[in-house]
Amino acid sequence: MALLSLVSETPMHAYRMQQLIKERHKDDVVNVAQRNSVYQTIDRLLRAGLIAVRETSREENRPERTVYEPTGEGHETLRRWMREMLSAPAREFPEFPAALAFLPALEPDEVRAALEERVASLESRLASLEQELAEGAAFLERVFLVESEYQRTALTAELGYVRGLAEDLRSGRLTWDYRLP
């Protein structure tokens, strides 16, 4: 979806796609940060007939660059994917809720310590995200920042929950009998 969306903005080569993903912090929400991932995805899009080669060029001492553009089917597929992802929550299985489901596998103090580490990580990520949003707002339209706004909201909610859970463990409001196997 990310690469198909980028070539729908304007035809471009793989290196430019990777640059834009990083510049726009889209690597926070899609897993195509490695150059090899970008090329593998391009190959899949080509095989599926969703993009096509617009041109191939070579500048002096630079490697050959292939510029890609979406096909008509690519445009329609992107629009369908977007409508589906925006309208219907996916059934996802993130690790954190799974770990919460099996807290009694650890001692309450171990869980509390791990949650306190998570709080520090969440605080750090939230501070970075706030900075990215502030910097981005200086030169990007809001439509290009909404995924970061969503991440900030989700991180803020998770941070509040994890702090509360750690406090419940610290105060003894939440505990269980842990037995070594």
Side-chain angles (χ1 to χ4, degrees):
M1 179 195 65
L3 299 186
L4 192 52
S5 179
L6 287 172
V7 297
S8 291
E9 286 180 30
T10 187
M12 65 182 73
H13 52 81
Y15 182 71
R16 182 66 180 141
M17 291 179 213
Q18 190 168 10
Q19 281 181 312
L20 285 175
I21 288 168
K22 288 184 180 199
E23 284 173 18
R24 296 177 179 177
H25 300 284
K26 303 305 182 195
D27 52 338
D28 290 343
V29 294
V30 293
N31 189 14
V32 288
Q34 299 297 320
R35 184 177 298 167
N36 195 39
S37 299
V38 170
Y39 286 107
Q40 289 172 351
T41 302
I42 287 171
D43 286 342
R44 285 194 306 272
L45 292 169
L46 282 166
R47 284 193 310 271
L50 302 178
I51 63 172
V53 173
R54 180 179 187 151
E55 66 184 21
T56 301
S57 63
R58 174 183 228 120
E59 295 177 17
E60 293 181 16
N61 295 326
R62 296 196 168 268
E64 190 174 83
R65 290 200 169 164
T66 303
V67 174
Y68 302 94
E69 64 185 354
T71 62
E73 184 180 351
H75 279 297
E76 287 308 312
T77 299
L78 175 61
R79 292 173 52 76
R80 186 182 76 248
W81 286 346
M82 290 294 298
R83 285 190 301 268
E84 288 172 4
M85 287 188 274
L86 289 169
S87 65
R91 186 163 183 228
E92 299 170 327
F93 299 94
E95 290 181 2
F96 185 58
L100 290 175
F102 300 101
L103 286 183
L106 296 174
E107 295 178 42
D109 284 342
E110 285 180 278
V111 171
R112 182 193 45 74
L115 290 175
E116 288 171 350
E117 286 180 40
R118 187 176 189 94
V119 164
S121 294
L122 290 170
E123 288 172 338
S124 175
R125 177 65 188 124
L126 189 57
S128 294
L129 195 54
E130 291 287 1
Q131 183 176 349
E132 288 173 21
L133 277 164
E135 290 171 1
F139 63 91
L140 290 173
E141 294 178 41
R142 182 172 174 224
V143 69
F144 297 111
L145 299 170
V146 293
E147 79 278 2
S148 295
E149 292 175 359
Y150 172 81
Q151 288 177 312
R152 176 181 57 197
T153 301
L155 277 171
T156 300
E158 181 179 342
L159 182 57
Y161 178 79
V162 174
R163 281 178 177 152
L165 190 57
E167 177 54 35
D168 287 347
L169 285 160
R170 194 173 11 271
S171 71
R173 287 187 298 270
L174 175 64
T175 192
W176 55 89
D177 290 330
Y178 175 80
R179 293 187 176 86
L180 290 173

